[in-house]
Amino acid sequence: MNTKHTIPSDEDLTAFIDGELTAEEAARIQTMVEEDESTAERLEFLARASLPFKQAFTPLLSEAPRLKLETMLAAIPAQPGARPASTPAFASRRRFLGALAASLVAGIAIDRAVIGIGIGQGFSAKDENSEWRAVVADYISLYTPETLAGPVPGREDQAAQLASLDEKLGLSLSPEAVSLPGIDFKRALLLQYDGKALAQVAYLDPETGPMALCIVKSDKRPKAPDLESRKGMNVVYWSNGTHAFMLIGHAAVGRMTAIADRLRVAV
């Protein structure tokens, strides 16, 4: 029987995560992770479930800004004689798992405690507001173009909707401030997250579909824009010392960044 294509058991995957397999066995599972989506997803689940540093490890898999993650992993020294690792491209969880597998095969020993401490310091302390963005992404991922179908509200209607956000969040939003060239304003909603007001300005991009600007109050220090990917969408997020902002949508990173730059000046 050709064992290369045999689906690995949970015991095999757990041993792979713990670095207890031979190089040949680890290489076989690495191949399965790269070629079979169900195996990659199962490996991810077991990796997250088995680590005692779950809160620190989860952002590494799904929320960490790519450049920061690449910098952190690049700083991990390889064991003598290990193969040079190729530059990682963390565009998805599956590709991260492939890189993790390659590191294990190459003989890079990553202690679980080191992972917990390093990631906790490198991400959790700097990005304490990631939880609300995850909730928003779950919500926005349910939107379709049909969700936001219908005529664009007139300026007076837009101003009235934005006024309700101003009152609860201490903002001063005008239709002109939140308007996006070529993208239709659809509605402004006042939501709630963890007992706090959450503003959402929903748009419909004729090219890529739903897009939203979301805002919550924040007493954290100002933060320059950063990027992440959630639920198959691109997110640009920043804060100005009084509010935290996120722009989420399906548009390409360059376009999302340009739109966020405009909003940062106007809002």
Side-chain angles (χ1 to χ4, degrees):
M1 181 178 64
N2 185 354
T3 59
K4 179 179 179 180
H5 299 288
T6 301
I7 301 299
S9 66
D10 285 358
E11 289 77 13
D12 290 338
L13 293 175
T14 301
F16 176 79
I17 294 167
D18 291 337
E20 297 175 351
L21 298 179
T22 65
E24 182 180 356
E25 292 170 333
R28 179 178 69 85
I29 291 182
Q30 177 194 349
T31 299
M32 291 298 301
V33 168
E34 294 173 349
E35 296 179 353
D36 182 70
E37 185 173 356
S38 62
T39 300
E41 290 175 352
R42 188 61 184 169
L43 178 63
E44 175 197 349
F45 173 80
L46 292 172
R48 293 173 64 180
S50 63
L51 284 172
F53 303 99
K54 182 178 180 181
Q55 289 184 341
F57 194 57
T58 298
L60 175 61
L61 287 175
S62 62
E63 300 172 6
R66 298 171 190 171
L67 293 178
K68 292 181 181 178
L69 182 55
E70 290 177 8
T71 300
M72 179 174 288
L73 291 183
I76 299 175
Q79 295 292 333
R83 293 187 283 118
S86 59
T87 302
F90 298 97
S92 67
R93 297 184 184 188
R94 183 176 174 187
R95 291 174 70 181
F96 169 73
L97 290 170
L100 175 62
S103 297
L104 291 171
V105 173
I108 298 176
I110 305 176
D111 186 84
R112 292 185 180 190
V114 173
I115 290 176
I117 295 172
I119 296 170
Q121 293 177 347
F123 294 105
S124 297
K126 294 182 180 180
D127 186 14
E128 297 173 355
N129 292 322
S130 63
E131 210 172 280
W132 79 275
R133 298 197 306 273
V135 173
V136 169
D138 285 339
Y139 186 71
I140 300 298
S141 69
L142 302 177
Y143 281 15
T144 68
E146 290 73 23
T147 306
L148 300 173
V152 175
R155 189 193 182 284
E156 289 187 5
D157 287 341
Q158 293 184 29
Q161 293 179 32
L162 292 169
S164 66
L165 309 183
D166 294 347
E167 181 181 350
K168 292 293 185 180
L169 281 94
L171 296 167
S172 182
L173 301 176
S174 67
E176 291 74 22
V178 300
S179 67
L180 302 178
I183 300 176
D184 292 336
F185 175 107
K186 284 297 184 176
R187 64 191 182 208
L189 299 174
L190 183 63
L191 306 173
Q192 181 174 288
Y193 167 71
D194 197 23
K196 300 177 182 178
L198 188 159
Q200 179 195 115
V201 182
Y203 305 89
L204 185 59
D205 179 3
E207 296 181 10
T208 62
M211 183 181 295
L213 170 67
C214 299
I215 311 168
V216 295
K217 281 188 174 180
S218 174
D219 57 2
K220 307 300 180 184
R221 63 185 180 181
K223 178 178 176 58
D226 212 336
L227 291 167
E228 63 187 3
S229 178
R230 292 181 182 272
K231 296 290 183 177
M233 295 173 287
N234 290 314
V235 178
V236 185
Y237 61 98
W238 68 96
S239 61
N240 62 9
T242 59
H243 295 86
F245 303 81
M246 67 177 287
L247 178 71
I248 181 170
H250 298 274
V253 168
R255 188 159 179 247
M256 294 290 289
T257 301
I259 294 172
D261 286 345
R262 183 198 179 285
L263 289 169
R264 285 178 62 219
V265 174
V267 175

